Coordinates of all heavy atoms in Angstrom, one line a residue:
M1177 N 33.9 109.1 43.7 CA 34.1 109.8 42.5 C 34.9 111.1 42.8 O 34.6 111.8 43.7 CB 32.8 110.2 41.9 CG 33.0 111.2 40.7 SD 31.4 111.8 40.1 CE 31.5 111.4 38.4
A1178 N 36.0 111.3 42.1 CA 36.9 112.5 42.3 C 36.4 113.6 41.4 O 36.3 113.5 40.2 CB 38.3 112.1 42.0
L1179 N 36.3 114.8 42.0 CA 35.9 116.0 41.2 C 37.2 116.9 41.2 O 37.8 117.1 42.2 CB 34.8 116.8 41.9 CG 33.5 116.0 42.2 CD1 32.6 116.8 43.1 CD2 32.8 115.7 40.9
R1180 N 37.5 117.4 40.0 CA 38.6 118.3 39.8 C 38.3 119.6 40.6 O 37.2 120.2 40.4 CB 38.9 118.6 38.4 CG 39.9 119.7 38.0 CD 41.3 119.1 38.0 NE 42.2 120.1 37.3 CZ 42.5 121.2 37.8 NH1 42.0 121.7 38.9 NH2 43.4 122.0 37.1
L1181 N 39.2 120.0 41.4 CA 39.0 121.2 42.2 C 40.2 122.1 42.1 O 41.3 121.8 42.7 CB 38.8 120.8 43.7 CG 38.4 121.9 44.7 CD1 37.1 122.6 44.3 CD2 38.3 121.4 46.1
P1182 N 40.2 123.3 41.4 CA 41.3 124.1 41.3 C 41.6 124.8 42.7 O 40.6 125.2 43.4 CB 40.9 125.1 40.2 CG 39.5 125.1 40.2 CD 39.0 123.7 40.6
I1183 N 42.8 125.0 43.0 CA 43.2 125.6 44.3 C 44.2 126.8 43.9 O 45.3 126.6 43.6 CB 44.0 124.6 45.2 CG1 43.1 123.4 45.5 CG2 44.4 125.3 46.5 CD1 43.8 122.3 46.1
P1184 N 43.6 128.0 44.0 CA 44.5 129.2 43.7 C 45.4 129.6 44.8 O 45.0 129.6 46.0 CB 43.5 130.3 43.4 CG 42.2 129.9 44.2 CD 42.3 128.4 44.2
V1185 N 46.7 129.8 44.5 CA 47.6 130.2 45.5 C 48.8 131.0 44.9 O 49.4 130.6 43.9 CB 48.2 129.0 46.3 CG1 48.9 128.0 45.4 CG2 49.1 129.4 47.4
D1186 N 49.0 132.2 45.4 CA 50.1 133.1 44.9 C 50.1 133.2 43.4 O 51.2 133.2 42.8 CB 51.4 132.6 45.4 CG 51.5 132.5 46.9 OD1 50.8 133.3 47.6 OD2 52.3 131.7 47.5
G1187 N 49.0 133.4 42.8 CA 49.0 133.6 41.3 C 49.1 132.3 40.5 O 49.2 132.4 39.2
V1188 N 49.2 131.2 41.1 CA 49.2 129.9 40.3 C 48.0 129.0 40.7 O 47.4 129.3 41.7 CB 50.5 129.1 40.5 CG1 51.7 129.9 40.0 CG2 50.7 128.7 41.9
E1189 N 47.8 128.0 40.0 CA 46.7 127.1 40.3 C 47.2 125.7 40.6 O 47.9 125.1 39.7 CB 45.7 127.1 39.2 CG 44.5 126.3 39.5 CD 43.4 126.3 38.4 OE1 42.8 127.4 38.3 OE2 43.4 125.4 37.6
L1190 N 46.9 125.2 41.8 CA 47.2 123.8 42.1 C 46.1 122.9 41.6 O 44.9 123.4 41.6 CB 47.4 123.6 43.6 CG 48.4 124.5 44.3 CD1 48.5 124.1 45.8 CD2 49.8 124.4 43.6
C1191 N 46.4 121.7 41.2 CA 45.4 120.8 40.8 C 44.9 119.9 41.9 O 45.7 119.2 42.5 CB 45.9 119.9 39.6 SG 44.7 118.8 39.0
G1192 N 43.7 120.1 42.4 CA 43.2 119.3 43.5 C 42.1 118.4 43.0 O 41.5 118.6 42.0
W1193 N 41.9 117.3 43.8 CA 40.8 116.3 43.5 C 40.0 116.2 44.8 O 40.6 115.8 45.9 CB 41.4 115.0 43.1 CG 42.0 115.1 41.7 CD1 41.4 114.9 40.5 CD2 43.4 115.3 41.4 NE1 42.3 115.0 39.5 CE2 43.5 115.3 40.1 CE3 44.5 115.6 42.2 CZ2 44.7 115.5 39.4 CZ3 45.7 115.9 41.6 CH2 45.8 115.8 40.2
F1194 N 38.8 116.5 44.8 CA 37.9 116.3 45.9 C 37.1 115.0 45.7 O 36.5 114.7 44.7 CB 36.9 117.5 45.9 CG 35.9 117.4 47.1 CD1 36.3 117.5 48.4 CD2 34.6 117.1 46.9 CE1 35.5 117.5 49.5 CE2 33.7 117.0 47.9 CZ 34.1 117.2 49.2
H1195 N 37.3 114.2 46.8 CA 36.6 112.9 46.7 C 35.4 113.0 47.6 O 35.4 112.9 48.8 CB 37.6 111.8 47.3 CG 38.8 111.7 46.5 ND1 39.0 110.9 45.4 CD2 40.0 112.4 46.6 CE1 40.2 111.1 44.9 NE2 40.8 112.0 45.6
E1196 N 34.3 113.2 46.9 CA 33.0 113.4 47.6 C 32.4 112.0 48.1 O 32.6 111.0 47.4 CB 32.0 114.0 46.6 CG 30.7 114.4 47.2 CD 29.9 115.2 46.2 OE1 30.0 114.9 45.0 OE2 29.2 116.1 46.6
S1197 N 31.8 112.0 49.3 CA 31.2 110.8 49.8 C 29.8 110.8 49.4 O 29.0 111.7 49.5 CB 31.3 110.9 51.3 OG 30.6 109.8 51.9
L1198 N 29.4 109.6 48.8 CA 28.0 109.5 48.4 C 27.0 109.4 49.5 O 25.9 109.8 49.5 CB 27.9 108.3 47.4 CG 28.7 108.4 46.1 CD1 28.5 107.1 45.3 CD2 28.3 109.6 45.3
E1199 N 27.5 108.8 50.6 CA 26.7 108.7 51.9 C 27.5 109.2 53.0 O 28.2 108.5 53.7 CB 26.4 107.2 52.1 CG 25.5 106.6 51.1 CD 25.1 105.2 51.4 OE1 25.0 104.8 52.6 OE2 24.9 104.4 50.5
P1200 N 27.5 110.6 53.2 CA 28.3 111.2 54.2 C 28.1 110.7 55.6 O 26.9 110.6 56.0 CB 28.0 112.7 54.1 CG 27.3 112.9 52.8 CD 26.7 111.5 52.4
R1201 N 29.1 110.3 56.3 CA 29.0 109.9 57.7 C 29.9 110.8 58.6 O 29.9 110.7 59.8 CB 29.5 108.5 57.8 CG 28.6 107.5 57.1 CD 29.1 106.1 57.3 NE 28.3 105.2 56.4 CZ 28.8 104.2 55.8 NH1 30.0 103.9 55.9 NH2 28.0 103.5 55.0
S1202 N 30.5 111.8 57.9 CA 31.4 112.7 58.7 C 31.2 114.1 58.0 O 31.2 114.2 56.8 CB 32.8 112.3 58.6 OG 33.6 113.3 59.2
D1203 N 31.1 115.1 58.8 CA 31.1 116.5 58.3 C 32.5 117.1 58.4 O 32.6 118.3 58.1 CB 30.1 117.3 59.0 CG 30.3 117.5 60.5 OD1 31.3 116.9 61.0 OD2 29.5 118.2 61.1
T1204 N 33.5 116.3 58.7 CA 34.9 116.8 58.7 C 35.7 116.2 57.6 O 35.9 115.0 57.6 CB 35.5 116.4 60.1 OG1 34.7 116.9 61.1 CG2 36.9 117.0 60.2
P1205 N 36.1 117.0 56.6 CA 36.9 116.5 55.5 C 38.3 116.3 55.9 O 38.8 116.9 56.9 CB 36.8 117.7 54.5 CG 36.6 118.9 55.3 CD 35.8 118.5 56.5
V1206 N 39.0 115.5 55.1 CA 40.5 115.2 55.4 C 41.3 115.7 54.2 O 40.9 115.5 53.0 CB 40.7 113.7 55.5 CG1 42.2 113.4 55.7 CG2 39.9 113.2 56.8
L1207 N 42.3 116.5 54.5 CA 43.3 116.9 53.4 C 44.5 116.0 53.4 O 45.1 115.8 54.4 CB 43.7 118.4 53.7 CG 44.8 118.9 52.8 CD1 44.3 119.1 51.4 CD2 45.2 120.3 53.4
F1208 N 44.8 115.5 52.2 CA 46.0 114.7 52.1 C 47.0 115.5 51.4 O 46.8 116.1 50.3 CB 45.7 113.4 51.2 CG 45.0 112.3 52.0 CD1 43.6 112.3 52.0 CD2 45.7 111.4 52.6 CE1 42.9 111.3 52.7 CE2 45.1 110.4 53.3 CZ 43.7 110.3 53.4
V1209 N 48.2 115.5 51.9 CA 49.4 116.2 51.3 C 50.4 115.1 51.0 O 50.9 114.4 51.8 CB 50.0 117.2 52.3 CG1 51.2 117.9 51.6 CG2 48.9 118.2 52.7
Q1210 N 50.8 115.1 49.7 CA 51.8 114.1 49.3 C 53.1 114.3 49.9 O 53.5 115.4 50.2 CB 51.9 114.1 47.7 CG 52.5 115.3 47.2 CD 52.3 115.5 45.7 OE1 51.3 115.0 45.1 NE2 53.2 116.2 45.1
G1211 N 53.9 113.2 50.0 CA 55.2 113.3 50.6 C 56.2 113.8 49.6 O 55.9 114.0 48.4
F1212 N 57.4 113.9 50.0 CA 58.5 114.3 49.1 C 59.6 113.4 49.2 O 60.1 113.1 50.3 CB 59.0 115.7 49.4 CG 60.1 116.2 48.4 CD1 59.7 116.7 47.2 CD2 61.4 116.0 48.8 CE1 60.7 117.0 46.3 CE2 62.4 116.4 47.9 CZ 62.1 116.9 46.6
P1213 N 60.2 112.8 48.2 CA 59.7 112.9 46.8 C 58.5 111.9 46.6 O 58.6 110.8 47.0 CB 60.9 112.5 45.9 CG 61.6 111.5 46.8 CD 61.4 111.9 48.2
G1214 N 57.5 112.4 46.1 CA 56.3 111.5 46.0 C 55.4 112.2 45.0 O 55.6 113.2 44.4
G1215 N 54.2 111.6 44.9 CA 53.2 112.1 44.0 C 51.9 112.0 44.6 O 51.7 111.3 45.6
V1216 N 50.9 112.6 43.9 CA 49.5 112.5 44.4 C 49.0 111.1 44.4 O 48.2 110.7 45.2 CB 48.6 113.5 43.6 CG1 48.4 112.9 42.2 CG2 47.3 113.8 44.4
D1217 N 49.6 110.2 43.6 CA 49.2 108.8 43.6 C 49.4 108.2 44.9 O 48.8 107.2 45.2 CB 49.9 108.1 42.5 CG 49.5 108.5 41.1 OD1 48.4 109.1 41.0 OD2 50.2 108.3 40.1
D1218 N 50.4 108.7 45.7 CA 50.7 108.1 47.0 C 49.5 108.3 47.9 O 49.3 107.5 48.9 CB 51.9 108.8 47.6 CG 53.1 108.6 46.8 OD1 53.2 107.7 46.0 OD2 54.1 109.4 47.0
C1219 N 48.6 109.2 47.7 CA 47.5 109.6 48.6 C 46.2 109.1 48.0 O 45.2 109.0 48.7 CB 47.4 111.1 48.8 SG 48.9 111.8 49.4
L1220 N 46.1 108.9 46.7 CA 44.8 108.7 46.0 C 44.0 107.5 46.6 O 42.8 107.5 46.8 CB 44.9 108.6 44.5 CG 45.1 110.0 43.8 CD1 45.3 109.7 42.3 CD2 43.9 110.9 44.1
G1221 N 44.7 106.4 46.7 CA 44.1 105.2 47.2 C 43.4 105.3 48.5 O 42.2 105.0 48.7
L1222 N 44.1 105.9 49.5 CA 43.5 106.1 50.8 C 42.4 107.1 50.8 O 41.4 107.0 51.4 CB 44.6 106.5 51.8 CG 44.1 106.6 53.3 CD1 43.4 105.3 53.7 CD2 45.3 106.9 54.2
A1223 N 42.6 108.2 50.0 CA 41.6 109.2 49.9 C 40.3 108.6 49.3 O 39.2 108.9 49.8 CB 42.1 110.4 49.0
Q1224 N 40.4 107.8 48.2 CA 39.2 107.2 47.6 C 38.6 106.2 48.6 O 37.3 106.2 48.7 CB 39.6 106.5 46.4 CG 40.0 107.4 45.2 CD 40.7 106.7 44.1 OE1 41.2 105.6 44.2 NE2 40.8 107.4 43.0
R1225 N 39.4 105.5 49.3 CA 38.8 104.5 50.3 C 38.1 105.2 51.4 O 37.0 104.8 51.8 CB 39.9 103.7 50.8 CG 39.4 102.5 51.6 CD 40.6 101.5 51.7 NE 40.1 100.3 52.5 CZ 39.8 99.2 51.9 NH1 39.8 99.0 50.6 NH2 39.4 98.2 52.7
L1226 N 38.6 106.3 51.9 CA 37.9 107.0 53.0 C 36.6 107.6 52.5 O 35.6 107.6 53.2 CB 38.8 108.1 53.6 CG 39.9 107.7 54.5 CD1 40.8 108.9 54.9 CD2 39.4 107.0 55.7
S1227 N 36.6 108.1 51.3 CA 35.3 108.6 50.7 C 34.3 107.5 50.6 O 33.1 107.8 50.8 CB 35.6 109.4 49.4 OG 35.9 108.5 48.4
C1228 N 34.7 106.3 50.3 CA 33.8 105.2 50.3 C 33.2 104.9 51.7 O 32.1 104.4 51.8 CB 34.4 103.9 49.8 SG 34.9 104.0 48.0
F1229 N 33.9 105.3 52.7 CA 33.4 105.1 54.1 C 32.7 106.3 54.7 O 32.5 106.4 55.9 CB 34.6 104.7 55.0 CG 35.0 103.2 54.8 CD1 36.2 103.0 54.2 CD2 34.2 102.2 55.2 CE1 36.6 101.7 53.9 CE2 34.7 100.9 55.0 CZ 35.9 100.6 54.4
G1230 N 32.4 107.3 53.8 CA 31.7 108.4 54.2 C 32.5 109.6 54.7 O 31.9 110.6 55.2
I1231 N 33.8 109.6 54.4 CA 34.6 110.7 54.8 C 35.1 111.5 53.6 O 35.9 110.9 52.8 CB 35.8 110.2 55.7 CG1 35.3 109.5 56.9 CG2 36.8 111.4 56.0 CD1 36.4 108.8 57.6
P1232 N 34.7 112.7 53.4 CA 35.2 113.5 52.2 C 36.7 113.8 52.3 O 37.1 114.1 53.4 CB 34.3 114.7 52.2 CG 33.8 114.8 53.6 CD 33.8 113.5 54.2
T1233 N 37.4 113.8 51.2 CA 38.8 114.1 51.2 C 39.2 115.0 50.0 O 38.5 115.1 49.0 CB 39.6 112.8 51.1 OG1 39.3 112.1 49.8 CG2 39.3 111.8 52.2
L1234 N 40.3 115.6 50.2 CA 40.9 116.5 49.2 C 42.4 116.1 49.0 O 43.1 116.0 50.0 CB 40.8 118.0 49.5 CG 41.5 118.9 48.5 CD1 40.8 118.9 47.2 CD2 41.4 120.4 49.1
T1235 N 42.9 115.9 47.8 CA 44.3 115.7 47.5 C 44.7 116.8 46.5 O 43.8 117.3 45.8 CB 44.6 114.3 46.9 OG1 43.8 114.2 45.7 CG2 44.2 113.2 47.9
Y1236 N 46.0 117.0 46.4 CA 46.4 118.0 45.3 C 47.9 117.7 45.0 O 48.6 117.0 45.7 CB 46.3 119.4 45.8 CG 47.2 119.8 46.9 CD1 48.5 120.4 46.6 CD2 46.8 119.7 48.2 CE1 49.3 120.7 47.7 CE2 47.7 120.0 49.3 CZ 48.9 120.6 49.0 OH 49.8 120.9 50.0
T1237 N 48.3 118.2 43.8 CA 49.7 118.1 43.5 C 50.5 119.3 43.9 O 49.9 120.4 43.8 CB 49.9 117.8 41.9 OG1 49.2 118.9 41.2 CG2 49.3 116.5 41.5
H1238 N 51.7 119.1 44.2 CA 52.6 120.3 44.6 C 52.7 121.2 43.4 O 52.6 120.9 42.3 CB 54.0 119.8 44.9 CG 54.1 119.0 46.2 ND1 53.7 119.5 47.4 CD2 54.5 117.7 46.4 CE1 54.0 118.5 48.3 NE2 54.4 117.5 47.7
R1239 N 53.1 122.5 43.7 CA 53.4 123.4 42.7 C 54.5 122.9 41.8 O 55.5 122.3 42.4 CB 53.9 124.7 43.3 CG 52.9 125.7 43.8 CD 53.5 127.0 44.1 NE 53.0 127.4 45.4 CZ 53.1 128.6 45.8 NH1 53.7 129.5 45.2 NH2 52.5 129.0 47.0
G1240 N 54.4 123.1 40.5 CA 55.5 122.6 39.6 C 55.4 121.2 39.3 O 56.2 120.7 38.5
K1241 N 54.5 120.4 39.9 CA 54.4 119.0 39.5 C 53.1 118.9 38.7 O 52.0 119.3 39.2 CB 54.3 118.1 40.7 CG 55.6 118.1 41.5 CD 55.6 117.0 42.5 CE 56.3 115.8 41.9 NZ 56.4 114.7 42.8
A1242 N 53.2 118.4 37.5 CA 52.0 118.4 36.6 C 50.9 117.7 37.3 O 51.1 116.7 38.0 CB 52.4 117.6 35.3
P1243 N 49.7 118.2 37.1 CA 49.2 119.3 36.3 C 49.2 120.6 37.0 O 48.6 121.6 36.5 CB 47.9 118.8 35.8 CG 47.3 118.0 36.9 CD 48.5 117.3 37.6
S1244 N 49.7 120.7 38.2 CA 49.7 122.0 38.9 C 50.7 123.0 38.3 O 51.7 122.6 37.7 CB 50.0 121.9 40.4 OG 49.0 121.2 41.1
G1245 N 50.4 124.3 38.3 CA 51.2 125.3 37.8 C 52.3 125.7 38.8 O 52.4 125.2 39.9
G1246 N 53.2 126.6 38.3 CA 54.2 127.2 39.2 C 55.5 126.4 39.2 O 55.7 125.5 38.3
R1247 N 56.3 126.7 40.1 CA 57.6 126.1 40.2 C 57.8 125.5 41.6 O 57.4 126.2 42.6 CB 58.7 127.2 40.0 CG 60.1 126.6 40.0 CD 61.1 127.7 39.6 NE 62.4 127.2 39.7 CZ 63.5 127.8 39.7 NH1 63.4 129.2 39.6 NH2 64.6 127.3 39.8
Y1248 N 58.3 124.3 41.7 CA 58.3 123.6 43.0 C 59.4 124.2 43.9 O 60.5 124.6 43.5 CB 58.6 122.1 42.9 CG 58.7 121.5 44.2 CD1 57.6 121.2 44.9 CD2 59.9 121.3 44.8 CE1 57.6 120.6 46.2 CE2 60.0 120.7 46.1 CZ 58.9 120.4 46.8 OH 58.9 119.9 48.0
S1249 N 59.0 124.4 45.2 CA 60.0 124.7 46.3 C 59.3 124.2 47.6 O 58.2 124.5 47.8 CB 60.2 126.2 46.3 OG 60.9 126.5 47.5
I1250 N 60.1 123.6 48.4 CA 59.6 123.2 49.7 C 59.1 124.4 50.5 O 58.2 124.2 51.4 CB 60.7 122.4 50.5 CG1 60.2 121.7 51.7 CG2 61.9 123.3 50.9 CD1 59.3 120.5 51.3
F1251 N 59.6 125.5 50.2 CA 59.2 126.7 51.0 C 57.8 127.2 50.6 O 57.3 128.1 51.3 CB 60.2 127.8 50.8 CG 61.6 127.5 51.2 CD1 62.6 127.2 50.3 CD2 61.9 127.3 52.6 CE1 63.9 126.8 50.7 CE2 63.1 126.9 53.0 CZ 64.1 126.7 52.1
H1252 N 57.2 126.6 49.6 CA 55.8 127.0 49.2 C 54.8 126.1 49.9 O 53.6 126.4 49.9 CB 55.6 126.7 47.7 CG 56.3 127.7 46.8 ND1 56.8 127.3 45.6 CD2 56.6 129.0 47.0 CE1 57.4 128.4 45.0 NE2 57.3 129.4 45.9
E1253 N 55.2 125.1 50.6 CA 54.3 124.1 51.1 C 53.3 124.6 52.1 O 52.1 124.3 52.1 CB 55.0 122.9 51.7 CG 55.5 121.9 50.5 CD 54.4 121.7 49.5 OE1 53.3 121.1 49.8 OE2 54.6 122.1 48.3
E1254 N 53.7 125.5 53.0 CA 52.8 126.1 54.0 C 51.7 126.9 53.3 O 50.5 126.7 53.6 CB 53.5 126.9 55.0 CG 52.7 127.4 56.1 CD 53.4 128.2 57.2 OE1 54.6 128.3 57.2 OE2 52.7 128.7 58.1
A1255 N 52.1 127.7 52.3 CA 51.1 128.4 51.6 C 50.2 127.5 50.8 O 48.9 127.7 50.7 CB 51.7 129.4 50.6
N1256 N 50.7 126.4 50.2 CA 49.9 125.5 49.5 C 48.9 124.8 50.4 O 47.7 124.7 50.0 CB 50.8 124.4 48.8 CG 51.7 124.9 47.7 OD1 51.5 126.0 47.3 ND2 52.7 124.1 47.4
I1257 N 49.3 124.4 51.5 CA 48.4 123.7 52.5 C 47.3 124.7 52.9 O 46.1 124.4 53.0 CB 49.2 123.1 53.7 CG1 50.0 122.0 53.2 CG2 48.2 122.7 54.8 CD1 51.1 121.5 54.2
D1258 N 47.7 125.9 53.3 CA 46.7 126.9 53.7 C 45.7 127.2 52.6 O 44.5 127.3 52.9 CB 47.4 128.3 54.0 CG 48.2 128.2 55.3 OD1 48.0 127.3 56.1 OD2 49.0 129.1 55.5
A1259 N 46.1 127.3 51.3 CA 45.2 127.5 50.2 C 44.3 126.3 50.0 O 43.1 126.5 49.8 CB 46.0 127.7 48.9
A1260 N 44.8 125.1 50.1 CA 43.9 123.9 50.0 C 42.9 123.8 51.1 O 41.7 123.6 50.9 CB 44.8 122.6 50.0
L1261 N 43.3 124.1 52.3 CA 42.4 124.2 53.5 C 41.3 125.2 53.3 O 40.1 125.0 53.6 CB 43.1 124.4 54.8 CG 43.9 123.2 55.3 CD1 44.7 123.6 56.5 CD2 42.9 122.0 55.7
A1262 N 41.7 126.4 52.8 CA 40.8 127.5 52.6 C 39.7 127.1 51.5 O 38.5 127.3 51.7 CB 41.5 128.8 52.1
V1263 N 40.1 126.5 50.4 CA 39.2 126.0 49.4 C 38.3 125.0 50.0 O 37.0 125.0 49.8 CB 39.9 125.5 48.2 CG1 39.0 124.7 47.2 CG2 40.6 126.6 47.4
L1264 N 38.8 124.0 50.7 CA 38.1 122.9 51.3 C 37.1 123.4 52.3 O 35.9 123.1 52.3 CB 39.0 121.9 51.9 CG 38.4 120.6 52.4 CD1 37.6 119.9 51.3 CD2 39.5 119.7 53.0
L1265 N 37.5 124.2 53.3 CA 36.7 124.6 54.4 C 35.7 125.7 54.0 O 34.8 126.0 54.8 CB 37.6 125.0 55.6 CG 38.4 123.8 56.1 CD1 39.3 124.3 57.2 CD2 37.5 122.7 56.6
H1266 N 36.0 126.4 52.9 CA 35.0 127.5 52.5 C 34.1 127.0 51.5 O 33.3 127.8 51.0 CB 35.8 128.7 52.1 CG 36.5 129.4 53.2 ND1 37.8 129.3 53.4 CD2 36.0 130.1 54.3 CE1 38.2 130.0 54.5 NE2 37.1 130.4 55.1
S1267 N 34.1 125.8 51.1 CA 33.1 125.2 50.2 C 31.7 125.2 51.0 O 31.7 125.1 52.2 CB 33.5 123.9 49.7 OG 33.4 122.9 50.7
P1268 N 30.6 125.3 50.3 CA 29.3 125.4 50.9 C 29.0 124.2 51.9 O 28.4 124.4 52.9 CB 28.3 125.4 49.8 CG 29.1 125.8 48.6 CD 30.5 125.4 48.8
E1269 N 29.6 123.0 51.6 CA 29.3 121.9 52.5 C 29.9 122.0 53.8 O 29.5 121.4 54.8 CB 29.9 120.6 51.8 CG 29.2 120.2 50.5 CD 29.9 120.9 49.3 OE1 30.8 121.7 49.5 OE2 29.4 120.7 48.2
Y1270 N 31.0 122.8 54.0 CA 31.8 122.8 55.2 C 31.9 124.2 55.9 O 32.5 124.3 56.9 CB 33.2 122.2 55.0 CG 33.1 120.9 54.4 CD1 33.4 120.6 53.1 CD2 32.6 119.8 55.1 CE1 33.3 119.4 52.5 CE2 32.4 118.6 54.6 CZ 32.8 118.4 53.3 OH 32.6 117.1 52.7
A1271 N 31.3 125.2 55.2 CA 31.4 126.5 55.8 C 30.6 126.6 57.1 O 29.5 126.0 57.3 CB 30.8 127.6 54.8
D1272 N 31.1 127.4 58.1 CA 30.4 127.6 59.3 C 29.1 128.3 59.0 O 29.1 129.3 58.2 CB 31.2 128.4 60.3 CG 32.4 127.5 60.9 OD1 32.2 126.3 61.0 OD2 33.4 128.1 61.2
P1273 N 28.0 128.0 59.7 CA 26.7 128.7 59.5 C 26.8 130.1 60.0 O 27.5 130.5 60.8 CB 25.7 127.9 60.2 CG 26.4 126.9 61.0 CD 27.9 126.9 60.6

């Protein structure tokens, strides 16, 4: 099951989807970043499949690609990835004790 997960970065919000594992077998989540030119649909199938095998995953859409806000630029990608990792790794399930 995918849960909508907003990812704030530089004053805009990226649209993320967290694929929670019902029977966790891994405490290490996987971040999927769509290719260019591509869409989040390129990652969803594998993200959903991994979550079925106990590996939690996060996918998101690039800035400026619906439903994420902002304007697309390849130069934003490092900040987008950093923001997605921060949201993912600072969630209660994965935060360091």
Side-chain angles (χ1 to χ4, degrees):
M1177 171 188 231
L1179 305 171
R1180 170 89 164 66
L1181 184 65
I1183 302 169
V1185 58
D1186 299 336
V1188 298
E1189 185 175 282
L1190 305 181
C1191 184
W1193 291 271
F1194 180 69
H1195 302 270
E1196 188 173 32
S1197 175
L1198 297 178
E1199 294 183 31
R1201 296 184 187 138
S1202 174
D1203 60 358
T1204 304
V1206 174
L1207 173 64
F1208 281 91
V1209 180
Q1210 67 194 30
F1212 181 82
V1216 73
D1217 293 339
D1218 299 341
C1219 305
L1220 282 178
L1222 184 54
Q1224 291 167 343
R1225 192 163 178 101
L1226 285 177
S1227 71
C1228 290
F1229 286 106
I1231 301 169
T1233 63
L1234 175 66
T1235 59
Y1236 69 91
T1237 56
H1238 292 300
R1239 279 188 225 198
K1241 293 192 95 177
S1244 289
R1247 185 173 176 196
Y1248 179 77
S1249 170
I1250 192 71
F1251 301 109
H1252 292 145
E1253 283 315 296
E1254 186 174 353
N1256 293 347
I1257 292 168
D1258 287 346
L1261 285 172
V1263 166
L1264 184 59
L1265 297 176
H1266 290 105
S1267 68
E1269 295 88 359
Y1270 306 108
D1272 287 331

